[in-house]
Amino acid sequence: MDASGRGQAAGGATSRGGFRAERAADGRYRWQLKAPNGRVVAITPAAFETAGEAERGFDGLRAGATELTARITHVRDGIGWIWVIPGSRSLPEVRSSRAYERYATCQNAFRRFVVLLAKQPAREPSPRELPGHAVSLRRPDGR
């Protein structure tokens, strides 16, 4: 992402809503999920080496959307509550994109996130990701 908070899209989202993987200034990728109104509802603090890794991480989360549980916690600096889905690494897997003034509002925001996540379409795998499909690395001239 650049200084304005925008990044280079790696795919998946329309300008209004949906999944979006963006390349940060450090060259790594992070993803976000936008509501249909364009508001960012969730972000991943973890950085991925490629856009494909970010997409696969999102797909794994999407596949298990109905089983997700969040930890709602008070923000460290300031006033408000955020929801966090703990990850296997030291960073959260995903978290709310903003703090909420009330605990109950934060709970409702998490519920809306789960519904939005479950509605996201499955990503089409690239030919390199399909099992049993070899990708030819030969040039068109046969070499």
Side-chain angles (χ1 to χ4, degrees), residues 53-113:
E53 285 179 11
E55 291 170 0
R56 285 188 295 279
F58 178 80
D59 285 344
L61 192 68
R62 183 192 52 75
T66 57
E67 303 298 319
L68 293 176
T69 57
R71 186 180 77 232
I72 297 178
T73 184
H74 203 274
V75 296
R76 290 183 192 166
D77 301 323
I79 300 171
W81 300 91
I82 60 169
W83 57 262
V84 176
I85 298 173
S88 58
R89 299 182 279 178
S90 60
L91 290 174
E93 187 165 347
V94 63
R95 68 174 182 83
S96 59
S97 63
R98 67 181 190 96
Y100 298 90
E101 188 175 317
R102 293 183 177 87
Y103 185 90
T105 306
C106 188
Q107 284 178 315
N108 288 332
F110 175 70
R111 290 183 192 115
R112 287 190 307 271
F113 161 74

Side-chain angles (χ1 to χ4, degrees), residues 28-41:
R28 299 178 80 189
Y29 291 84
R30 290 175 177 80
W31 62 259
Q32 61 183 348
L33 182 62
K34 289 184 177 183
N37 66 3
R39 176 177 264 180
V40 177
V41 248

